[in-house]
Amino acid sequence: MSKSTDPAGLLRDELLVVRCQLGEPEAFEELVRTWSGPLLRHVQRIAGADVADDVAQEVWIRALRGIARLRDGARLRAWLFGVAHHVVMDRLRGRYAEREALDGIAEVPGDAMPDPAEPLFDRLDDGLELLPVVERETLTLFYLEELSLLQIAEIQAVPVGTVKSRLFRARGMLRQSMLKGTDDEG
């Protein structure tokens, strides 16, 4: 059973939300302890390790300010990743405004050949980093954070069909990246 469908976990999240909404400082501390690891890993994958700590802090600030408006505590997981999505997108919009050309974000440098001894998971992480942000986020939310297509659609504010298309495209792009890495080795 995945974390997102665990009934005990959903009940714990609901109670935690209510306690936070009642203003219990210990509840918010527990919320941060429980979710800071998964959120930080997600933000690192999407925004990059260099800005992940700053972005994660902004996520927690927005979560503290907005948790009173969360009506369904069972949706806490999707809501927190939605907050992270908005913070990352705001940060990217700021980057795009500062610099017009971030074209090379999904390009592989010509001299970047994978090390044959490099573990598969390292190559997978490298392949994820090469994906455009939207595809990278969709893949990580679905496979690594185990969110449903409907939850991802809510987070990204798009129809479920768009999430399916992004997931299909992202898998193909990642497959190409991984195959290119193994072709270079042989």
Coordinates of all heavy atoms in Angstrom, one line a residue, residues 2-69:
S2 N 0.6 2.2 -0.9 CA 1.4 3.4 -1.0 C 1.1 4.3 0.1 O 0.0 4.2 0.7 CB 1.3 4.0 -2.4 OG 0.0 4.7 -2.4
K3 N 2.0 5.3 0.3 CA 1.8 6.3 1.4 C 0.5 7.1 1.1 O -0.2 7.5 2.0 CB 3.0 7.2 1.4 CG 4.2 6.6 1.9 CD 5.3 7.6 1.9 CE 5.9 7.7 0.5 NZ 7.1 8.5 0.3
S4 N 0.2 7.3 -0.2 CA -0.9 8.2 -0.5 C -2.3 7.5 -0.3 O -3.3 8.2 -0.3 CB -0.8 8.7 -1.9 OG -0.8 7.7 -2.8
T5 N -2.3 6.2 -0.1 CA -3.6 5.5 0.1 C -3.7 4.8 1.4 O -4.7 4.1 1.7 CB -3.8 4.5 -1.0 OG1 -2.7 3.5 -1.0 CG2 -3.9 5.1 -2.4
D6 N -2.7 5.0 2.3 CA -2.7 4.4 3.6 C -3.8 5.1 4.5 O -3.7 6.3 4.8 CB -1.3 4.6 4.2 CG -1.2 4.2 5.7 OD1 -2.0 3.3 6.1 OD2 -0.3 4.7 6.4
P7 N -4.8 4.4 4.9 CA -5.9 5.0 5.7 C -5.4 5.6 7.0 O -5.9 6.7 7.4 CB -6.9 3.8 6.0 CG -6.6 2.8 4.9 CD -5.1 3.0 4.6
A8 N -4.5 4.9 7.7 CA -4.0 5.5 8.9 C -3.2 6.8 8.7 O -3.3 7.7 9.5 CB -3.1 4.4 9.6
G9 N -2.5 6.8 7.6 CA -1.7 8.0 7.2 C -2.7 9.2 6.9 O -2.4 10.3 7.3
L10 N -3.7 8.9 6.2 CA -4.7 9.9 5.8 C -5.4 10.4 7.1 O -5.6 11.7 7.2 CB -5.8 9.4 4.9 CG -5.3 9.0 3.5 CD1 -6.4 8.4 2.6 CD2 -4.8 10.3 2.8
L11 N -5.7 9.5 8.0 CA -6.4 10.0 9.3 C -5.4 10.8 10.1 O -5.8 11.9 10.6 CB -6.8 8.8 10.1 CG -7.5 9.1 11.4 CD1 -8.8 9.9 11.1 CD2 -7.9 7.8 12.1
R12 N -4.1 10.4 10.1 CA -3.1 11.2 10.8 C -3.0 12.6 10.2 O -2.9 13.6 11.0 CB -1.7 10.5 10.8 CG -0.7 11.2 11.6 CD 0.7 10.7 11.2 NE 1.1 11.2 9.9 CZ 1.5 10.4 8.9 NH1 1.7 9.1 9.1 NH2 1.8 10.9 7.7
D13 N -3.0 12.6 8.9 CA -2.9 13.9 8.2 C -4.1 14.8 8.6 O -4.0 16.0 8.8 CB -2.8 13.8 6.7 CG -1.4 13.2 6.3 OD1 -0.5 13.2 7.1 OD2 -1.3 12.8 5.1
E14 N -5.3 14.2 8.5 CA -6.5 15.0 8.8 C -6.4 15.6 10.2 O -6.7 16.8 10.5 CB -7.7 14.1 8.7 CG -8.1 13.8 7.3 CD -9.4 13.0 7.2 OE1 -10.5 13.7 7.3 OE2 -9.3 11.8 6.9
L15 N -6.0 14.8 11.2 CA -5.9 15.2 12.6 C -4.9 16.3 12.7 O -5.1 17.3 13.5 CB -5.7 14.1 13.5 CG -6.8 13.1 13.7 CD1 -6.4 11.9 14.5 CD2 -8.0 13.7 14.3
L16 N -3.8 16.1 12.0 CA -2.7 17.1 12.1 C -3.1 18.4 11.5 O -2.8 19.5 12.1 CB -1.5 16.5 11.3 CG -0.1 17.2 11.5 CD1 0.2 17.2 12.9 CD2 0.9 16.4 10.7
V17 N -3.9 18.4 10.4 CA -4.4 19.6 9.9 C -5.3 20.4 10.8 O -5.2 21.6 11.1 CB -5.2 19.4 8.5 CG1 -6.0 20.6 8.1 CG2 -4.2 19.0 7.4
V18 N -6.2 19.6 11.5 CA -7.1 20.2 12.4 C -6.4 20.8 13.6 O -6.6 22.0 14.0 CB -8.2 19.2 13.0 CG1 -8.9 19.7 14.2 CG2 -9.1 18.7 11.9
R19 N -5.4 20.1 14.1 CA -4.5 20.6 15.2 C -3.8 21.9 14.8 O -3.7 22.9 15.5 CB -3.6 19.6 15.7 CG -4.2 18.4 16.4 CD -3.3 17.3 16.8 NE -2.1 17.9 17.5 CZ -0.9 17.3 17.4 NH1 -0.7 16.3 16.6 NH2 0.1 17.8 18.1
C20 N -3.3 21.9 13.5 CA -2.6 23.1 13.0 C -3.6 24.3 12.9 O -3.3 25.4 13.3 CB -2.0 22.8 11.6 SG -0.5 21.8 11.7
Q21 N -4.8 24.0 12.4 CA -5.8 25.0 12.3 C -6.3 25.6 13.6 O -6.7 26.7 13.7 CB -7.0 24.5 11.5 CG -6.6 24.3 10.0 CD -7.7 23.6 9.3 OE1 -8.6 22.9 9.8 NE2 -7.7 23.7 7.9
L22 N -6.1 24.8 14.7 CA -6.5 25.2 16.0 C -5.3 26.0 16.7 O -5.4 26.5 17.8 CB -6.8 24.0 16.9 CG -8.1 23.3 16.6 CD1 -8.3 22.1 17.4 CD2 -9.3 24.3 16.8
G23 N -4.2 26.1 15.9 CA -3.1 26.9 16.4 C -2.1 26.2 17.3 O -1.3 26.8 18.0
E24 N -2.0 24.9 17.3 CA -1.1 24.1 18.1 C 0.3 24.2 17.5 O 0.5 23.6 16.4 CB -1.5 22.7 18.2 CG -2.6 22.4 19.2 CD -2.9 20.9 19.3 OE1 -1.9 20.1 19.3 OE2 -4.0 20.5 19.4
P25 N 1.3 24.8 18.1 CA 2.6 24.9 17.6 C 3.3 23.5 17.4 O 4.0 23.3 16.4 CB 3.4 25.7 18.6 CG 2.4 26.4 19.4 CD 1.2 25.6 19.4
E26 N 3.0 22.6 18.3 CA 3.5 21.3 18.2 C 3.0 20.5 17.0 O 3.7 19.7 16.4 CB 3.2 20.4 19.5 CG 3.7 21.0 20.8 CD 2.8 22.1 21.4 OE1 1.6 22.2 21.0 OE2 3.3 22.8 22.2
A27 N 1.8 20.8 16.6 CA 1.2 20.2 15.4 C 2.0 20.7 14.2 O 2.3 19.8 13.3 CB -0.3 20.5 15.3
F28 N 2.2 21.9 14.1 CA 3.0 22.4 12.9 C 4.4 21.9 12.9 O 4.9 21.5 11.8 CB 3.0 24.0 12.8 CG 3.4 24.4 11.5 CD1 2.5 24.3 10.4 CD2 4.7 24.9 11.2 CE1 2.9 24.8 9.1 CE2 5.1 25.4 10.0 CZ 4.2 25.3 8.9
E29 N 5.0 21.7 14.1 CA 6.3 21.1 14.1 C 6.3 19.7 13.6 O 7.2 19.2 12.9 CB 6.9 21.2 15.6 CG 7.3 22.6 16.0 CD 7.6 22.7 17.5 OE1 7.8 21.6 18.1 OE2 7.7 23.8 18.0
E30 N 5.2 19.0 14.0 CA 5.1 17.6 13.6 C 4.8 17.5 12.1 O 5.4 16.7 11.4 CB 3.9 16.9 14.3 CG 3.7 15.5 14.0 CD 2.6 14.8 14.7 OE1 2.2 15.3 15.8 OE2 2.1 13.8 14.2
L31 N 4.1 18.5 11.6 CA 3.8 18.6 10.1 C 5.1 18.7 9.4 O 5.4 18.0 8.4 CB 2.9 19.7 9.8 CG 2.5 20.0 8.4 CD1 1.6 18.9 7.9 CD2 1.9 21.3 8.2
V32 N 6.0 19.6 9.9 CA 7.3 19.9 9.2 C 8.2 18.6 9.3 O 8.8 18.3 8.3 CB 8.0 21.1 9.8 CG1 9.4 21.3 9.3 CG2 7.2 22.4 9.6
R33 N 8.2 18.0 10.5 CA 9.0 16.8 10.7 C 8.6 15.7 9.7 O 9.4 15.0 9.1 CB 8.9 16.3 12.1 CG 9.9 16.8 13.0 CD 10.0 16.0 14.3 NE 8.7 15.7 14.9 CZ 8.0 16.5 15.8 NH1 8.5 17.7 16.1 NH2 6.9 16.2 16.3
T34 N 7.3 15.6 9.5 CA 6.7 14.5 8.7 C 7.0 14.7 7.2 O 7.3 13.8 6.5 CB 5.2 14.3 9.0 OG1 5.0 14.1 10.4 CG2 4.6 13.2 8.1
W35 N 6.8 16.0 6.8 CA 6.8 16.3 5.3 C 8.0 17.0 4.8 O 8.1 17.2 3.6 CB 5.5 17.0 5.0 CG 4.3 16.2 5.1 CD1 3.4 16.1 6.1 CD2 3.9 15.1 4.2 NE1 2.5 15.2 5.9 CE2 2.7 14.5 4.7 CE3 4.4 14.6 3.0 CZ2 2.1 13.5 4.1 CZ3 3.8 13.6 2.4 CH2 2.6 13.0 2.9
S36 N 8.9 17.4 5.7 CA 10.0 18.2 5.2 C 10.9 17.4 4.2 O 11.4 17.9 3.2 CB 10.8 18.9 6.3 OG 11.4 17.9 7.1
G37 N 11.2 16.2 4.6 CA 12.0 15.3 3.7 C 11.5 15.1 2.3 O 12.1 15.4 1.3
P38 N 10.2 14.6 2.2 CA 9.7 14.4 0.9 C 9.6 15.7 0.1 O 9.8 15.7 -1.1 CB 8.3 13.8 1.2 CG 8.4 13.2 2.5 CD 9.4 14.0 3.3
L39 N 9.2 16.8 0.8 CA 9.1 18.1 0.0 C 10.4 18.6 -0.4 O 10.6 19.1 -1.5 CB 8.4 19.1 0.9 CG 6.9 19.0 1.0 CD1 6.3 20.0 2.0 CD2 6.2 19.3 -0.4
L40 N 11.4 18.5 0.4 CA 12.8 19.0 0.1 C 13.3 18.1 -1.1 O 13.8 18.7 -2.1 CB 13.7 18.9 1.2 CG 15.1 19.4 1.0 CD1 15.1 20.9 0.5 CD2 16.0 19.2 2.2
R41 N 13.1 16.8 -1.1 CA 13.6 16.0 -2.2 C 12.9 16.4 -3.5 O 13.5 16.5 -4.6 CB 13.4 14.5 -1.9 CG 14.4 13.9 -0.9 CD 14.3 12.4 -0.8 NE 13.0 12.0 -0.3 CZ 12.7 11.9 1.0 NH1 13.5 12.3 1.9 NH2 11.5 11.5 1.3
H42 N 11.6 16.6 -3.4 CA 10.8 17.0 -4.6 C 11.3 18.3 -5.1 O 11.5 18.5 -6.3 CB 9.3 17.1 -4.2 CG 8.5 17.6 -5.3 ND1 8.2 16.8 -6.5 CD2 7.8 18.7 -5.5 CE1 7.5 17.5 -7.3 NE2 7.2 18.7 -6.7
V43 N 11.5 19.3 -4.3 CA 12.0 20.6 -4.7 C 13.4 20.5 -5.3 O 13.7 21.2 -6.3 CB 11.9 21.6 -3.5 CG1 12.6 22.9 -3.8 CG2 10.5 21.9 -3.1
Q44 N 14.2 19.7 -4.7 CA 15.6 19.5 -5.3 C 15.5 19.0 -6.7 O 16.2 19.5 -7.5 CB 16.4 18.6 -4.4 CG 16.9 19.2 -3.1 CD 17.5 18.1 -2.2 OE1 17.2 16.9 -2.2 NE2 18.4 18.6 -1.3
R45 N 14.6 18.0 -6.9 CA 14.5 17.5 -8.2 C 13.9 18.5 -9.3 O 14.3 18.5 -10.4 CB 13.6 16.3 -8.2 CG 14.2 15.1 -7.6 CD 13.2 13.9 -7.7 NE 13.6 12.8 -6.8 CZ 13.0 12.5 -5.6 NH1 11.9 13.2 -5.3 NH2 13.4 11.6 -4.8
I46 N 13.0 19.3 -8.8 CA 12.4 20.2 -9.7 C 13.1 21.5 -9.9 O 13.4 22.0 -11.0 CB 10.9 20.5 -9.3 CG1 10.1 19.2 -9.1 CG2 10.2 21.5 -10.2 CD1 10.1 18.3 -10.3
A47 N 13.5 22.1 -8.8 CA 14.2 23.5 -8.9 C 15.7 23.4 -8.9 O 16.3 24.4 -9.3 CB 13.7 24.3 -7.7
G48 N 16.3 22.3 -8.4 CA 17.7 22.2 -8.3 C 18.2 22.3 -6.9 O 17.6 23.0 -6.1
A49 N 19.3 21.6 -6.6 CA 19.8 21.5 -5.2 C 20.3 22.9 -4.7 O 20.2 23.2 -3.6 CB 20.9 20.5 -5.1
D50 N 20.7 23.7 -5.7 CA 21.3 25.0 -5.3 C 20.3 26.0 -4.7 O 20.6 26.8 -3.9 CB 22.0 25.7 -6.5 CG 21.1 25.9 -7.7 OD1 20.2 25.0 -7.9 OD2 21.3 26.8 -8.5
V51 N 19.0 25.9 -5.0 CA 18.0 26.8 -4.5 C 17.0 26.0 -3.6 O 16.0 26.6 -3.1 CB 17.3 27.5 -5.6 CG1 18.2 28.4 -6.3 CG2 16.5 26.6 -6.5
A52 N 17.1 24.7 -3.5 CA 16.1 23.9 -2.8 C 15.8 24.3 -1.4 O 14.6 24.4 -1.0 CB 16.5 22.4 -2.8
D53 N 16.8 24.7 -0.6 CA 16.6 25.1 0.8 C 15.7 26.4 0.9 O 14.8 26.4 1.6 CB 17.9 25.3 1.5 CG 18.6 24.0 1.8 OD1 17.9 22.9 1.9 OD2 19.8 24.0 1.9
D54 N 16.1 27.3 0.0 CA 15.3 28.6 0.0 C 13.9 28.3 -0.4 O 12.9 28.9 0.1 CB 15.9 29.6 -0.9 CG 17.3 30.1 -0.4 OD1 17.5 30.0 0.8 OD2 18.0 30.7 -1.2
V55 N 13.7 27.5 -1.5 CA 12.4 27.2 -2.0 C 11.6 26.5 -0.9 O 10.4 26.8 -0.7 CB 12.4 26.4 -3.3 CG1 11.1 26.0 -3.7 CG2 13.1 27.3 -4.4
A56 N 12.2 25.5 -0.3 CA 11.5 24.7 0.8 C 11.1 25.6 1.9 O 10.0 25.5 2.4 CB 12.4 23.6 1.3
Q57 N 11.9 26.6 2.3 CA 11.5 27.5 3.4 C 10.3 28.3 2.9 O 9.4 28.5 3.7 CB 12.7 28.5 3.7 CG 13.8 27.8 4.3 CD 14.2 28.5 5.6 OE1 13.9 29.6 5.8 NE2 14.9 27.8 6.4
E58 N 10.3 28.8 1.7 CA 9.1 29.5 1.2 C 7.9 28.6 1.2 O 6.8 29.1 1.5 CB 9.4 30.1 -0.2 CG 8.2 30.8 -0.8 CD 7.9 32.1 -0.1 OE1 8.8 32.7 0.5 OE2 6.8 32.6 -0.3
V59 N 8.0 27.3 0.9 CA 6.9 26.4 0.9 C 6.3 26.4 2.3 O 5.1 26.4 2.5 CB 7.3 25.0 0.4 CG1 6.2 24.0 0.7 CG2 7.7 25.0 -1.1
W60 N 7.2 26.2 3.3 CA 6.7 26.1 4.7 C 6.1 27.5 5.2 O 5.1 27.4 5.9 CB 7.8 25.7 5.6 CG 8.1 24.2 5.4 CD1 9.2 23.7 4.9 CD2 7.2 23.1 5.6 NE1 9.1 22.3 4.8 CE2 7.8 21.9 5.2 CE3 5.9 23.1 6.1 CZ2 7.2 20.7 5.3 CZ3 5.2 21.8 6.2 CH2 5.9 20.6 5.8
I61 N 6.6 28.6 4.7 CA 6.0 29.8 5.1 C 4.6 29.9 4.5 O 3.6 30.3 5.2 CB 6.8 31.0 4.6 CG1 8.1 31.1 5.4 CG2 6.1 32.3 4.7 CD1 9.2 32.0 4.9
R62 N 4.4 29.6 3.2 CA 3.1 29.6 2.6 C 2.2 28.6 3.2 O 1.0 28.8 3.3 CB 3.2 29.4 1.1 CG 3.8 30.6 0.4 CD 3.7 30.4 -1.1 NE 4.5 31.4 -1.8 CZ 4.5 31.5 -3.2 NH1 3.7 30.7 -3.9 NH2 5.2 32.4 -3.7
A63 N 2.7 27.4 3.6 CA 1.9 26.4 4.2 C 1.3 26.9 5.5 O 0.2 26.7 5.9 CB 2.7 25.1 4.4
L64 N 2.2 27.5 6.3 CA 1.8 28.0 7.6 C 0.7 29.1 7.5 O -0.3 29.1 8.2 CB 3.0 28.6 8.4 CG 2.7 29.3 9.7 CD1 2.1 28.3 10.7 CD2 3.9 29.9 10.3
R65 N 0.9 29.9 6.5 CA -0.1 31.0 6.2 C -1.4 30.5 5.6 O -2.5 31.0 5.9 CB 0.4 32.0 5.3 CG 1.5 32.9 5.9 CD 2.1 33.8 4.9 NE 3.2 34.6 5.4 CZ 4.1 35.2 4.7 NH1 4.0 35.2 3.4 NH2 5.0 35.9 5.3
G66 N -1.4 29.4 4.9 CA -2.5 28.9 4.2 C -3.2 27.7 4.7 O -4.3 27.3 4.3
I67 N -2.7 27.0 5.8 CA -3.3 25.8 6.2 C -4.7 26.0 6.8 O -5.5 25.1 6.7 CB -2.4 25.1 7.2 CG1 -2.8 23.6 7.3 CG2 -2.4 25.8 8.6 CD1 -1.8 22.7 7.8
A68 N -5.0 27.2 7.3 CA -6.3 27.5 7.8 C -7.4 27.4 6.7 O -8.6 27.1 7.0 CB -6.4 28.9 8.4
R69 N -7.0 27.5 5.4 CA -8.0 27.5 4.3 C -8.1 26.1 3.8 O -9.0 25.8 2.9 CB -7.5 28.4 3.2 CG -7.6 29.9 3.6 CD -7.3 30.8 2.4 NE -6.0 30.6 1.9 CZ -4.9 31.2 2.3 NH1 -4.9 32.0 3.3 NH2 -3.7 31.0 1.7

